[in-house]
């Protein structure tokens, strides 16, 4: 298609160049012929005037001297005049003047046969002959000017035709450029939207792509890839769901056994045994947290969202209470500044977001540092930020920390290690509620995450 497009776009331009070349050649040839004809005809008319004067001078000298050489010279001049007149009359419309000059030439030939006295009496005919020759010269120049004007008008017409032809063929080329640009860009845009849909995890437009065969085939490959990724995503979700449920049963038994040992139901324990029991209890809590995060990840992906005005303060108090011991152990200060306007959200998903943000702030924050939670309503949006004092997140980790099972390069300082899906769950939950979650780098000296949700209109 690209090759055809270039060929069809160049074709009008090639025709325009050819036509312009032909028209230019015609104009040049016409101008050259006109100039040559004008020069030749003007020279002949001027020569006729000179010949007429030479003939008169020669015949007057012959009338006085009557030498044969002068008579012969006069006849030669007369013959030259006749030849030049015949050639000039072929291109000049002289009308009656041409017949009059030819008749006068006959009389001038007879004058060469007369004697000196007779010539002196009849030499006055040259006045009328010279006047006729001058009139022929004037008439020739007028007709030459007319032919030049015709050439000029013809050049103007050719120029106008060239402008019209150039505009038409240039417009045709432009229309072809726009047409083929549309025909080529349209399937590319369709492929772009399909790729964006693939990256966003939404259903792409499955209408057939119209365009070059290569792009159509690429569109079919993208559809196949989308269906394949959707199958893999479903298999992953099913695997995580089964794995989470399968792990909960042995975990419950493990925790129950660890708790019984820690409570010394089976008897007193040595110090080493108590340390082992404490290790079992802590790791069972860690494993339970990981399993609950996997369940939350599945739930965020599949469970329907219910949008309603949600009070934020109770959810924050629950999340802070869950981390109270860690906050006290690290001597962290908590600052709350909340707007009374509630956001439109799903209560369970908003609780997941707050839990993960506060967990990150507690576990990555500095000992003795600050956790600042602010919420404010602005126009149609509700903004909630959770910030903590601590090491800033490296620039190379700022986007990847929201990817599933990806942890940043910073070291977690809490008792339990993370699974790398907390922020991913929080962002998925925020998006499902019509909001967004992002790292706010404009806050100085604090690591700040900002949640934006639609504001309640109640």
């Amino acid at each position: 298609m690209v090759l055809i497009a270039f060929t069809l776009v160049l074709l009008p331009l090639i025709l325009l160049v050819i036509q312009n070349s032909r028209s230019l050649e015609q104009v040049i040839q016409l101008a050259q012929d006109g100039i040559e004809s004008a020069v030749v005809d003007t020279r002949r008319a001027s020569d006729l005037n000179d010949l007429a004067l030479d003939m008169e001078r020669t015949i007057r000298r012959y009338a006085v001297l009557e030498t044969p050489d002068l008579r012969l010279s006069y006849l030669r001049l007369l013959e030259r005049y006749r030849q030049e007149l015949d050639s000039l009359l072929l291109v000049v419309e002289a009308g009656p003047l041409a017949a009059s000059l030819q008749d006068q030439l006959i009389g001038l030939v007879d004058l060469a046969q007369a004697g000196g006295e007779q010539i002196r009496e009849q030499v006055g005919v040259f006045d009328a002959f010279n006047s006729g020759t001058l009139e022929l010269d004037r008439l020739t120049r007028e007709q030459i000017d007319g032919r030049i004007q015709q050439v000029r008008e013809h050049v103007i017409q050719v120029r106008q035709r060239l402008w019209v032809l150039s505009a038409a063929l240039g417009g045709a080329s432009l229309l072809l450029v726009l047409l083929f640009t549309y025909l080529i860009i349209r399937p590319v845009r369709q492929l772009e939207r399909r790729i964006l849909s693939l990256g966003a995890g939404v259903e792409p437009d499955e209408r057939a792509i119209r365009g070059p065969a290569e792009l159509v085939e690429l569109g079919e490959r993208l559809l196949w890839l989308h269906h394949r990724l959707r199958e893999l995503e479903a298999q992953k979700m099913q695997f995580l769901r089964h794995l989470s449920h399968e792990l909960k049963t042995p975990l419950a038994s493990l925790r129950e056994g660890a708790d019984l040992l820690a409570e010394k139901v089976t008897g007193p324990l040595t110090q080493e045994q108590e340390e082992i029991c404490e290790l079992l209890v802590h790791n069972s809590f860690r494993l339970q947290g990981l399993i609950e995060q996997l369940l939350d990840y599945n739930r965020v992906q599949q469970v329907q969202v219910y949008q309603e005005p949600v009070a934020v303060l109770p959810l924050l108090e629950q999340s802070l209470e869950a981390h109270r011991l860690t906050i006290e152990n690290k001597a962290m200060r908590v600052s709350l500044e909340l707007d009374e306007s509630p956001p439109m959200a799903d209560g369970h998903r908003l609780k997941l977001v707050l839990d993960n943000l506060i967990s990150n702030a507690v576990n990555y924050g500095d000992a003795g540092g600050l956790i600042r939670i602010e919420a404010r309503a602005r126009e149609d949006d509700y903004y909630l930020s959770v910030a903590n004092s601590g090491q800033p997140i490296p620039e190379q980790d700022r986007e990847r920390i929201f990817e599933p099972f990806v942890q940043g390069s910073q070291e977690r300082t809490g008792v339990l290690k993370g699974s790398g899906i907390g922020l991913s769950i929080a962002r998925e939950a925020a998006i499902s509620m019509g909001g967004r979650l992002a790292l706010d780098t404009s806050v100085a000296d604090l690591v700040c995450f900002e949640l934006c949700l639609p504001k309640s209109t109640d």
Side-chain angles (χ1 to χ4, degrees):
M1 178 174 285
V2 174
L3 181 60
I4 294 174
F6 277 115
T7 303
L8 293 180
V9 168
L10 289 176
L11 185 59
L13 300 179
I14 294 174
L15 293 176
L16 178 61
V17 171
I18 294 175
Q19 181 62 32
N20 288 349
S21 299
R22 290 180 177 178
S23 299
L24 185 61
E25 289 177 0
Q26 292 176 357
V27 170
I28 292 174
Q29 186 63 40
L30 183 63
Q32 184 177 357
D33 293 343
I35 292 173
E36 291 178 355
S37 175
V39 170
V40 171
D41 294 342
T42 302
R43 180 180 57 78
R44 283 175 177 168
S46 297
D47 289 345
L48 289 178
N49 288 327
D50 294 340
L51 288 172
L53 293 175
D54 289 342
M55 288 166 56
E56 183 179 2
R57 285 196 298 268
T58 303
I59 198 64
R60 288 182 181 277
R61 291 173 62 192
Y62 176 72
V64 175
L65 301 176
E66 294 186 1
T67 59
D69 292 338
L70 291 175
R71 179 175 176 275
L72 182 60
S73 176
Y74 171 76
L75 291 176
R76 289 174 180 172
L77 291 172
L78 190 64
E79 179 63 20
R80 284 182 56 193
Y81 186 96
R82 185 186 63 78
Q83 293 177 355
E84 294 289 341
L85 179 63
D86 291 341
S87 300
L88 185 60
L89 292 178
L90 291 176
V91 294
V92 175
E93 294 291 337
L97 180 61
S100 174
L101 288 174
Q102 288 174 345
D103 291 339
Q104 292 181 37
L105 282 176
I106 295 174
L108 293 176
V109 172
D110 294 339
L111 185 62
Q113 307 299 326
E117 185 64 28
Q118 188 178 4
I119 292 174
R120 284 192 292 273
E121 292 176 356
Q122 297 180 4
V123 77
V125 298
F126 275 98
D127 294 337
F129 182 73
N130 290 334
S131 298
T133 302
L134 289 174
E135 179 65 18
L136 178 62
D137 182 30
R138 185 191 63 79
L139 186 62
T140 300
R141 294 180 186 277
E142 286 182 356
Q143 293 187 13
I144 289 174
D145 292 340
R147 289 202 298 268
I148 293 175
Q149 182 62 29
Q150 291 178 355
V151 172
R152 185 181 294 111
E153 292 175 355
H154 180 73
V155 171
I156 293 174
Q157 293 176 358
V158 170
R159 184 178 63 183
Q160 292 175 346
R161 286 200 302 269
L162 289 179
W163 277 111
V164 173
L165 184 62
S166 300
L169 294 179
S173 294
L174 179 60
L175 290 177
L176 288 173
V177 168
L178 296 176
L179 173 62
F180 282 102
T181 300
Y182 171 75
L183 292 177
I184 294 175
I185 291 298
R186 183 183 60 174
V188 173
R189 291 289 174 81
Q190 289 177 317
L191 290 174
E192 181 184 9
R193 289 194 295 269
R194 196 163 286 183
I195 292 172
L196 292 176
S197 300
L198 188 65
V202 299
E203 288 294 327
D205 186 1
E206 297 192 4
R207 288 179 295 180
I209 293 178
R210 293 184 177 182
E214 295 84 354
L215 297 182
V216 173
E217 183 178 357
L218 181 57
E220 294 174 354
R221 295 291 180 87
L222 285 175
L223 274 181
W224 172 84
L225 179 59
H226 171 76
H227 294 312
R228 181 59 180 160
L229 289 176
R230 188 168 57 183
E231 292 174 1
L232 294 175
E233 183 69 17
Q235 293 175 6
K236 183 189 73 173
M237 293 301 174
Q238 184 179 11
F239 170 75
L240 292 176
R241 186 168 57 250
H242 291 171
L243 179 63
S244 301
H245 285 289
E246 290 295 329
L247 289 176
K248 288 184 71 177
T249 300
L251 176 62
S253 300
L254 179 62
R255 284 196 57 188
E256 183 178 358
D259 290 339
L260 291 175
L261 289 175
E263 293 172 2
K264 303 179 181 179
V265 173
T266 58
L269 302 175
T270 64
Q271 183 177 357
E272 291 80 3
Q273 290 172 336
E274 289 180 355
E275 292 176 356
I276 293 174
C277 287
E278 184 179 354
L279 182 63
L280 289 173
V281 170
H282 282 307
N283 281 278
S284 64
F285 274 110
R286 178 188 176 191
L287 184 56
Q288 181 181 1
L290 296 178
I291 293 174
E292 289 176 353
Q293 283 191 330
L294 288 175
L295 290 174
D296 289 338
Y297 187 72
N298 274 329
R299 192 178 295 110
V300 168
Q301 298 284 336
Q302 298 175 358
V303 177
Q304 183 179 0
V305 180
Y306 296 94
Q307 294 283 91
E308 59 183 356
V310 177
V312 177
L313 182 58
L315 300 180
L316 282 172
E317 290 176 345
Q318 293 175 21
S319 297
L320 290 171
E321 179 62 25
H323 296 85
R324 181 175 57 82
L325 292 177
T326 307
I327 293 174
E328 291 177 353
N329 289 335
K330 297 181 69 172
M332 302 181 77
R333 294 173 290 112
V334 178
S335 170
L336 281 175
E337 295 182 16
L338 302 181
D339 196 315
E340 295 181 357
S341 301
M344 290 293 293
D346 181 294
H348 175 73
R349 293 174 185 246
L350 182 55
K351 179 69 164 49
L352 283 177
V353 176
L354 296 177
D355 282 344
N356 281 288
L357 293 181
I358 292 175
S359 174
N360 269 11
V362 171
N363 288 289
Y364 287 100
D366 292 337
L370 171 68
I371 297 177
R372 189 184 70 189
I373 303 174
E374 294 181 351
R376 62 189 183 281
R378 189 168 57 194
E379 296 181 354
D380 296 331
D381 295 322
Y382 181 90
Y383 294 89
L384 186 146
S385 63
V386 178
N388 64 274
S389 55
Q391 295 182 356
I393 297 176
E395 187 172 353
Q396 66 271 16
D397 293 338
R398 290 177 182 175
E399 280 301 322
R400 299 192 69 245
I401 56 175
F402 290 102
E403 297 178 9
F405 308 104
V406 174
Q407 291 181 300
S409 56
Q410 284 182 295
E411 183 180 355
R412 188 181 176 102
T413 59
V415 176
L416 301 178
K417 301 302 179 183
S419 61
I421 63 173
L423 287 176
S424 176
I425 293 173
R427 171 172 275 191
E428 290 285 344
I431 293 174
S432 67
M433 293 185 291
R436 63 181 182 273
L437 176 64
L439 177 66
D440 186 1
T441 57
S442 63
V443 181
D445 301 327
L446 293 176
V447 179
C448 179
F449 288 90
E450 185 178 68
L451 171 66
C452 177
L453 293 171
K455 188 177 70 173
S456 174
T457 57
D458 294 343

